[in-house]
Amino acid sequence: MKKILLLTVLMVMMFVPAAFAKEMPVEVFINYVELESDQPAVLNKEFKRTYLPLRAVAERLGAEVEWVPKPENALKDKHGNKIPEVHITTEKGMLRIPIGSKEVWLLDGNTSKSIEIEAPAYIEKATNRTMVPLSFVSEALGTEVRWGNKYKVIYIIDPDKPMGMIEAKIRFKQPLTLTEVDKLIKQHKITPIAIQYIAIDGSFAGGFGYKENLFTSLSKTIADKEKEIKEIRELIKQETDEQKKQMMKRMLNIREKVLETLKNQSFKITGLEVIVEKDDINKIQRDVQIADIQVVNTGTTCTKYPSSESENK
């Protein structure tokens, strides 16, 4: 049954029309706490780079941010007008970031150092936010940047933050119920990133991201599945190629089965991807039977930060 289901999924992927192949949004986590901003990370087609909202990222990392519309000794455009800048103040000094330039400057006392970034900063018109390429966050702000491709997540790690947390993948010896896992999360200092589950009848396995709490995460996943199913049904109506239409119907059946399983909670949880204190791993193992723990990253932190309500830019 599992092999047939997998084969069907692979065949469907080959025939999914371009209109349905939408890119999922990229989530950003700073020290494993999700970044809250009115401007999400975007893929800039002109520069072919992932861009992040500068103010939200910099302030979360503890920097001061200032929008300077007419800076002294500024670059000028072709009309002779001063190019506005964003100034970022950190413990290492002040960064001057001219809009539209690939060159930024680090000022430390009386010294000035030029830093070239791979793509220029720009203003996102819809939100009036300054956007910078992902590489800027590591090169200019001195952070570690990692991609979590499986869940389309960017992790930004501040190496100067206190140690004590690890990122780990936990696999249970026996699948647990939602209630059992919810109790485990609340009992220990665990910050889940993702949940892995298997249908009770063993016909398929899957996973979903973690938001706020386990049951909120499930509700959000169900809502996303319902939206996805609605979109597939609309595409089936529009499709004229009979072969593609049949494949899409099979895909719809699979999605509907997954949705029914999630709604009825007819599944059990096989594992978690979590952020947890190093010393708490042994306590978890005493509470549940764990098949294995794979440490993905060590020396990280999971401090809760307030969301920024600062001015635009």
Side-chain angles (χ1 to χ4, degrees), residues 67-264:
W67 170 254
V68 186
K70 295 181 179 180
E72 296 183 7
N73 304 318
L75 297 175
K76 295 184 179 180
D77 61 22
K78 60 182 180 181
H79 303 293
N81 299 318
K82 289 185 175 182
I83 294 176
E85 297 178 353
V86 177
H87 292 179
I88 307 292
T89 303
T90 70
E91 295 177 356
K92 299 176 182 178
M94 185 182 76
L95 282 164
R96 292 183 57 173
I97 307 162
I99 302 301
S101 174
K102 293 173 67 175
E103 188 175 18
V104 302
W105 290 274
L106 175 61
L107 308 179
D108 185 8
N110 296 323
T111 62
S112 176
K113 177 184 177 183
S114 173
I115 301 174
E116 185 173 349
I117 56 179
E118 63 180 8
Y122 73 92
I123 303 296
E124 182 67 37
K125 293 181 180 179
T127 56
N128 203 30
R129 295 293 185 184
T130 301
M131 306 295 289
V132 292
L134 178 59
S135 60
F136 170 85
V137 177
S138 59
E139 294 169 4
L141 297 181
T143 61
E144 175 191 346
V145 176
R146 295 193 297 108
W147 277 94
N149 288 329
K150 188 173 182 180
Y151 304 109
K152 298 212 173 199
V153 170
I154 296 171
Y155 295 109
I156 299 172
I157 311 301
D158 185 351
D160 296 328
K161 291 294 181 182
M163 302 290 203
M165 307 292 284
I166 62 172
E167 178 186 358
K169 294 180 179 179
I170 298 175
R171 185 167 61 89
F172 305 126
K173 281 187 177 180
Q174 297 294 332
L176 303 179
T177 65
L178 279 168
T179 303
E180 289 171 332
V181 174
D182 187 53
K183 180 180 178 181
L184 181 69
I185 290 171
K186 291 176 179 177
Q187 188 172 349
H188 299 281
K189 297 177 181 179
I190 296 176
T191 301
I193 300 174
I195 312 295
Q196 301 299 320
Y197 68 87
I198 187 169
I200 289 178
D201 63 8
S203 59
F204 69 91
F208 54 86
Y210 186 89
K211 299 277 187 180
E212 296 180 21
N213 62 63
L214 190 56
F215 294 96
T216 299
S217 305
L218 178 60
S219 297
K220 183 181 183 303
T221 302
I222 289 172
D224 290 344
K225 293 293 181 187
E226 290 175 333
K227 181 180 178 182
E228 187 179 357
I229 287 171
K230 185 178 179 181
E231 290 176 351
I232 296 174
R233 286 173 177 163
E234 289 299 317
L235 288 169
I236 290 174
K237 292 179 183 179
Q238 300 169 16
E239 185 57 63
T240 57
D241 186 299
E242 191 59 34
Q243 187 179 12
K244 289 183 179 179
K245 183 177 288 188
Q246 291 303 316
M247 287 295 177
M248 292 168 68
K249 285 182 178 179
R250 291 175 191 171
M251 178 171 65
L252 178 62
N253 290 336
I254 294 170
R255 295 293 193 276
E256 288 175 337
K257 180 176 176 57
V258 172
L259 179 60
E260 182 182 5
T261 298
L262 294 176
K263 278 187 169 182
N264 296 334

